Amino acid sequence: MRIGLIGTGRIGTFHAASLSRNREVGSLVVTDADRARAQALAVRLGATAAPGVDEVFTWGVDAVVITTATAAHAELISRAARAGLPVFCEKPIALDLAGTLAALRDVTAAGTVLQMGFQRRFDAGYGTARAAVREGRLGRLHTVRAMTSDQAPPPAAYLPLSGGLYRDCLVHDFDALRWVTGREVVDVYAAGSDAGAAMFREAGDVDTAAALLTLDDGALATATATRFNGAGYDVRMELAGEADQVAVGWDDRTPITSTEPVGPPAADKPWTGFLERFAPAYEAELAAFVDVVRGERPNPCDGYEALAALRIAEACEVSRRERRPVALAEVPGA
């Protein structure tokens, strides 16, 4: 199998290395707006560097992996669909609903595959929590608490391009919430704070956010995120039911210190970032994509799953701006 990868930044480099180790991938073609970066990666992995995107689509690849800046995702997805090529794309499809829906229409019309990069679906902890909920081991699920805390914020130049904290960061929690519980969000009430670094205010973004979400069975969920968590990278989900409760992301590297006299000790080596924390999940989602391309398994996360998570993020943005509850029915694209 010959795979083309477009975008050789941090996550693109990780995915390229993962694909180069997959025995079903016979050759890898990589390209980037920074040609020198793509060439250096190709040399390191024994791949081929293409001069540009056009060559990726004309050099006979069997599938495309998109890890470019977000602004290019929708156009590249549509181009791959028109070429009849299966696509793996890092989230999001686009930063707005219109762009997302347009790309999805192209994929649907072409009848091609679009797998989205929501890696938490491939994390062992989230998978075990999902099984516990689906098998009824927690009893009636009444409360879910999700959180994502970055150790340090992204560069200031990234913020205006990111889509904001809900679309860029919490969208992972929204997807995990739907996937783990099997329920849909019916309404949200969200708030955000830009009291930290000035770069967030200048970008019209917030550095800390919280949302209360009501699920379609009456269960309540909270989702919080911050760009400033000096203790380390902290991603967790707690699920409480009438019979039991479980926690995802609680291990000896969780960056939190108990104040109890007999509590667990602080982590010696706390997680520092998403690539470190979710490395096995990232490997697994690319392996799954290769299997999808080979026709050996169904698509584990199609574009409509990404649309569902984005609609929740959109509802949260409206709620934050207008300081009111927002029903998902108000957000286009259902």
Side-chain angles (χ1 to χ4, degrees), residues 274-323:
F274 63 90
L275 280 179
E276 182 185 36
R277 164 67 177 83
F278 288 111
Y282 281 118
E283 290 267 359
E285 70 176 357
L286 263 294
F289 178 62
V290 171
D291 290 344
V292 170
V293 175
R294 288 169 54 82
E296 296 177 351
R297 66 172 291 174
N299 189 346
C301 186
D302 67 22
Y304 289 95
E305 297 292 295
L307 172 63
L310 177 62
R311 291 182 66 245
I312 300 170
E314 290 288 331
C316 287
E317 281 289 359
V318 173
S319 178
R320 178 182 72 86
R321 289 196 309 268
E322 301 183 4
R323 296 180 176 272

Side-chain angles (χ1 to χ4, degrees), residues 20-319:
S20 72
R21 293 190 293 268
N22 190 306
R23 63 183 181 182
E24 304 296 343
V25 179
S27 61
L28 184 64
V29 178
V30 300
T31 194
D32 193 277
D34 183 339
R35 291 190 180 186
R37 183 167 67 181
Q39 181 64 44
L41 179 63
V43 169
R44 190 163 81 246
L45 298 180
T48 301
V53 172
D54 289 346
E55 286 77 11
V56 170
F57 284 99
T58 58
W59 285 4
V61 299
D62 300 301
V64 175
V65 172
I66 300 170
T67 54
T68 61
T70 296
H73 288 186
E75 179 184 354
L76 290 170
I77 289 170
S78 294
R79 183 170 181 178
R82 292 191 296 270
L85 293 172
V87 177
F88 175 93
C89 184
E90 276 300 324
K91 64 83 190 169
I93 294 173
L95 290 179
D96 60 4
L97 287 168
T100 298
L101 292 168
L104 288 176
R105 284 193 293 270
D106 287 341
V107 171
T108 300
T112 52
V113 168
L114 168 60
Q115 181 182 329
M116 295 303 299
F118 282 104
Q119 84 284 355
R120 296 186 195 183
R121 292 180 177 225
F122 297 87
D123 177 75
Y126 282 96
T128 300
R130 185 177 193 264
V133 172
R134 302 303 181 88
E135 294 166 9
R137 298 201 300 267
L138 306 186
R140 182 185 70 86
L141 186 67
H142 52 73
T143 307
V144 183
R145 307 175 191 93
M147 63 176 290
T148 296
S149 300
D150 290 334
Q151 185 176 36
Y158 172 77
L159 296 178
L161 308 175
S162 72
L165 192 57
Y166 291 105
R167 299 185 191 95
D168 178 55
C169 182
L170 275 168
V171 71
H172 280 288
D173 296 274
F174 300 149
D175 178 70
L177 176 64
R178 294 182 62 252
W179 185 73
V180 169
T181 66
R183 313 306 308 191
E184 297 295 341
V185 174
V186 296
D187 58 51
V188 307
Y189 190 87
S193 170
D194 61 4
M199 64 182 182
F200 290 93
R201 292 186 292 279
E202 293 165 357
D205 196 4
V206 294
D207 59 71
T208 303
L212 172 64
L213 309 100
T214 305
L215 307 188
D216 58 8
D217 63 348
L220 297 179
T222 60
T224 64
T226 184
R227 297 294 196 184
F228 293 96
N229 193 61
Y233 180 72
D234 194 359
V235 172
R236 279 179 278 147
M237 176 180 279
E238 299 172 0
L239 300 108
E242 292 181 345
D244 201 358
Q245 61 180 340
V246 295
V248 180
W250 191 279
D251 59 20
D252 60 0
R253 298 191 65 183
T254 303
I256 190 168
T257 301
S258 172
T259 61
E260 298 299 327
V262 292
D268 289 333
K269 189 180 179 184
W271 299 108
T272 59
F274 63 90
L275 280 179
E276 182 185 36
R277 164 67 177 83
F278 288 111
Y282 281 118
E283 290 267 359
E285 70 176 357
L286 263 294
F289 178 62
V290 171
D291 290 344
V292 170
V293 175
R294 288 169 54 82
E296 296 177 351
R297 66 172 291 174
N299 189 346
C301 186
D302 67 22
Y304 289 95
E305 297 292 295
L307 172 63
L310 177 62
R311 291 182 66 245
I312 300 170
E314 290 288 331
C316 287
E317 281 289 359
V318 173
S319 178

